């Protein structure tokens, strides 16, 4: 085929970093690091004019180049076509929107959520909030969890996740998996502080998963970890990250004291749920100030190839006085492409003291819906 073009599939996006790039397969949810020298050969439409490139390369470079293209083809990231055929393939739209004022909510509590009432459910429904996560730092009664489930059963809430502590009670551990049988809206129940990581109940017939993990969760300060296990290579996350902060955009939370915040870990409060509605809170000045802080605006993150599949944190920053500073709990260096333990980085110690995190051991907390 003359004038061959190697064209990436429309669901495969290239994210260029300072030291290397990343091809994000947003359909199969996979990621492939590639050198920037290869990225630079692609056009904005993710096309690579094969002959035009190889004609300019040495024999040795052509061999390396062919190996890279074979790698892309073998992983079904793209295909060969002619210049005429490429016109039949359109690019994936980068537009993002969500048909609600709020997409999800995190609620923190010790053992019980006294304000989890019909009134709160009605507020969620008015805002269009369809995902909620309840994080308990203590051990909630099984009866209380059933009360919560009964309230959301007929609401517009689509999914709910529970994070609870293991108190060593065998009866309690035996009862938790049965809770998901009562409501198909339960996405997951994570039991932390357990003896081992284990799956007590897998996904079955639309029912949520129930797992135990050995990691601990002592407070909201455990949040904000940047970890490869939390990366999301999918269309909704990728397109949202281009224009919004994926951690805080259209998110709301209620901390253990009932304070309404962007995130339970953040200091700013916009009222208390006992005397302020969620709608009143989100319309207060400052509530949405973080919503449009994209990774392309954050120092270090803007140079990182993982920025559009990564999570974020605005609660704990390398520089607490700069809202555009990099997340404190990120151990990745996009300039050397290496990971390290963030908590032992000498450059982060001043911020760790500022946030009073010297004694925290939960550097890998349960994953949240953020």
């Amino acid at each position: 085929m003359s004038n061959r073009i190697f064209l990436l599939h429309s669901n495969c996006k290239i994210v260029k970093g300072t030291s290397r790039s990343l091809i994000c397969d947003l359909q199969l949810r996979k990621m492939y690091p590639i050198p920037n020298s290869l990225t630079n050969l692609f056009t904005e439409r993710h096309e690579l004019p094969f002959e035009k490139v190889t004609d300019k390369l040495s024999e040795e470079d052509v061999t390396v180049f062919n190996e890279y293209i074979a790698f892309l083809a073998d992983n079904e990231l793209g295909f060969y076509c002619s210049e005429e055929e490429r016109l039949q393939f359109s690019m994936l739209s980068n537009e993002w929107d969500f048909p609600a004022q709020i997409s999800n909510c995190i609620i923190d509590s010790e053992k019980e959520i006294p304000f989890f009432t019909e009134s709160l459910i009605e507020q969620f429904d008015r805002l269009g909030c369809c995902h909620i996560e309840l994080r308990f730092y203590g051990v909630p009664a099984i009866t209380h969890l059933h009360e919560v489930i009964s309230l959301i059963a007929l609401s517009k809430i689509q999914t709910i996740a529970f994070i609870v502590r293991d108190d060593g009670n065998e009866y309690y551990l035996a009862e938790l998996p049965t809770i998901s049988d009562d409501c198909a809206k339960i996405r997951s129940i994570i039991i932390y502080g357990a003896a081992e990581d284990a799956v007590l109940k897998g996904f079955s017939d639309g029912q949520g998963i129930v797992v135990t993990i050995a990691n601990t969760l002592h407070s909201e300060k455990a949040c904000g970890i940047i970890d490869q296990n939390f990366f999301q290579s999918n269309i909704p996350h990728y397109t949202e990250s281009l224009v919004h902060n994926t951690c805080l955009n259209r998110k709301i939370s209620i901390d253990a004291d009932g304070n309404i915040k962007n995130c339970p870990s953040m200091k700013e409060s916009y009222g208390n749920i006992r005397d302020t509605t969620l709608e009143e809170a989100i319309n207060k000045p400052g509530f949405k100030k973080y919503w449009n802080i994209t990774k392309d605006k954050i120092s270090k993150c803007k140079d990182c190839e993982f920025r559009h599949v990564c999570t974020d944190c605005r609660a704990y920053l390398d520089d607490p006085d700069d809202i555009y500073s990099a997340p404190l709990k990120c151990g990745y260096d996009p300039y050397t492409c290496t990971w390290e333990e963030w908590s032992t980085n000498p450059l982060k110690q001043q911020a760790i003291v500022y946030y009073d995190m010297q004694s925290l051991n939960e550097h890998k907390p349960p994953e949240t819906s953020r």
Side-chain angles (χ1 to χ4, degrees):
M1 181 187 294
S2 61
N3 298 322
R4 287 183 304 169
I5 290 174
F6 187 83
L7 179 64
L8 290 184
H9 292 297
S10 62
N11 56 280
C12 295
K13 297 289 189 176
I14 299 177
V15 182
K16 187 176 181 180
T18 293
S19 301
R20 66 178 180 181
S21 298
L22 193 74
I23 294 182
C24 305
D25 186 331
L26 305 179
Q27 183 174 356
L28 297 181
R29 306 192 175 197
K30 295 181 179 180
M31 296 166 281
Y32 302 88
I34 61 171
N36 281 341
S37 57
L38 178 60
T39 298
N40 294 336
L41 299 177
F42 281 92
T43 69
E44 291 185 0
R45 294 182 59 83
H46 292 171
E47 306 167 351
L48 196 157
F50 199 81
E51 273 73 26
K52 290 181 181 179
V53 171
T54 55
D55 287 346
K56 298 178 181 179
L57 299 178
S58 66
E59 184 176 344
E60 180 180 353
D61 289 339
V62 167
T63 300
V64 175
F65 172 74
N66 286 335
E67 290 176 352
Y68 273 123
I69 298 302
F71 169 81
L72 300 180
D74 289 344
N75 286 281
E76 299 181 334
L77 299 174
F79 57 95
Y80 291 106
C81 65
S82 67
E83 291 185 353
E84 292 75 21
E85 290 171 335
R86 72 174 178 175
L87 300 176
Q88 301 178 36
F89 302 98
S90 60
M91 295 187 67
L92 181 71
S93 172
N94 286 331
E95 291 185 7
W96 179 91
D97 200 359
F98 188 82
Q101 298 181 66
I102 294 293
S103 61
N104 68 55
C105 175
I106 290 179
I107 301 178
D108 279 0
S109 182
E110 288 299 324
K111 296 182 179 181
E112 187 173 322
I113 308 175
F115 51 81
F116 203 95
T117 62
E118 289 185 8
S119 175
L120 182 63
I121 298 300
E122 290 172 357
Q123 293 180 52
F124 284 142
D125 285 351
R126 287 197 297 272
L127 293 174
C129 180
C130 52
H131 308 288
I132 61 174
E133 178 179 272
L134 308 186
R135 303 191 304 193
F136 294 93
Y137 300 116
V139 182
I142 294 293
T143 54
H144 182 59
L145 299 183
H146 280 295
E147 291 171 356
V148 168
I149 292 170
S150 65
L151 285 171
I152 70 164
L154 299 179
S155 71
K156 296 178 183 177
I157 294 172
Q158 296 177 11
T159 65
I160 183 171
F162 294 99
I163 297 179
V164 301
R165 182 167 63 85
D166 181 3
D167 69 344
N169 187 315
E170 293 185 4
Y171 170 77
Y172 191 80
L173 286 179
E175 280 292 302
L176 283 175
T178 67
I179 291 178
S180 63
D181 295 334
D182 299 338
C183 182
K185 294 185 177 184
I186 296 178
R187 183 182 65 185
S188 64
I189 299 176
I190 299 175
I191 307 162
Y192 64 89
E196 61 179 358
D197 295 351
V199 177
L200 301 185
K201 181 181 179 183
F203 288 108
S204 176
D205 298 326
Q207 303 298 320
I209 189 171
V210 183
V211 300
T212 61
I213 60 174
N215 291 335
T216 58
L217 179 66
H218 295 309
S219 72
E220 74 285 348
K221 289 185 179 180
C223 205
I225 293 287
I226 305 300
D227 190 285
Q228 295 180 81
N229 292 323
F230 301 160
F231 287 174
Q232 300 183 57
S233 181
N234 58 62
I235 293 174
H237 185 94
Y238 175 87
T239 53
E240 182 180 14
S241 74
L242 296 175
V243 288
H244 295 295
N245 185 282
T246 55
C247 183
L248 297 174
N249 178 49
R250 305 202 191 190
K251 313 294 196 304
I252 199 168
S253 69
I254 306 172
D255 71 12
D257 295 320
N259 297 312
I260 304 172
K261 301 179 176 182
N262 293 128
C263 165
S265 303
M266 304 185 83
K267 293 182 178 180
E268 298 98 328
S269 172
Y270 299 90
N272 192 284
I273 193 62
R274 294 174 178 83
D275 53 31
T276 305
T277 67
L278 298 179
E279 188 171 12
E280 290 171 340
I282 68 173
N283 287 315
K284 287 187 176 182
F287 185 88
K288 302 175 183 178
K289 69 178 179 179
Y290 298 99
W291 285 19
N292 297 325
I293 299 181
T294 67
K295 286 288 193 177
D296 289 321
K297 298 178 181 178
I298 297 172
S299 58
K300 190 177 83 167
C301 296
K302 62 186 178 182
D303 298 326
C304 182
E305 69 273 21
F306 293 114
R307 64 187 180 275
H308 293 311
V309 297
C310 188
T311 52
D312 188 42
C313 178
R314 297 295 87 200
Y316 306 119
L317 308 173
D318 281 346
D319 181 355
D321 295 324
D322 181 6
I323 63 173
Y324 295 98
S325 181
L328 174 64
K329 299 183 184 182
C330 176
Y332 184 67
D333 186 342
Y335 311 106
T336 61
C337 303
T338 57
W339 288 86
E340 65 176 13
E341 173 55 51
W342 67 270
S343 64
T344 57
N345 187 328
L347 300 178
K348 294 178 179 284
Q349 296 310 305
Q350 187 173 350
I352 288 174
V353 172
Y354 175 86
Y355 292 116
D356 192 23
M357 292 182 176
Q358 303 92 310
S359 61
L360 284 184
N361 294 318
E362 61 274 24
H363 294 148
K364 290 186 178 180
E367 182 178 1
T368 73
S369 60
R370 300 291 194 200

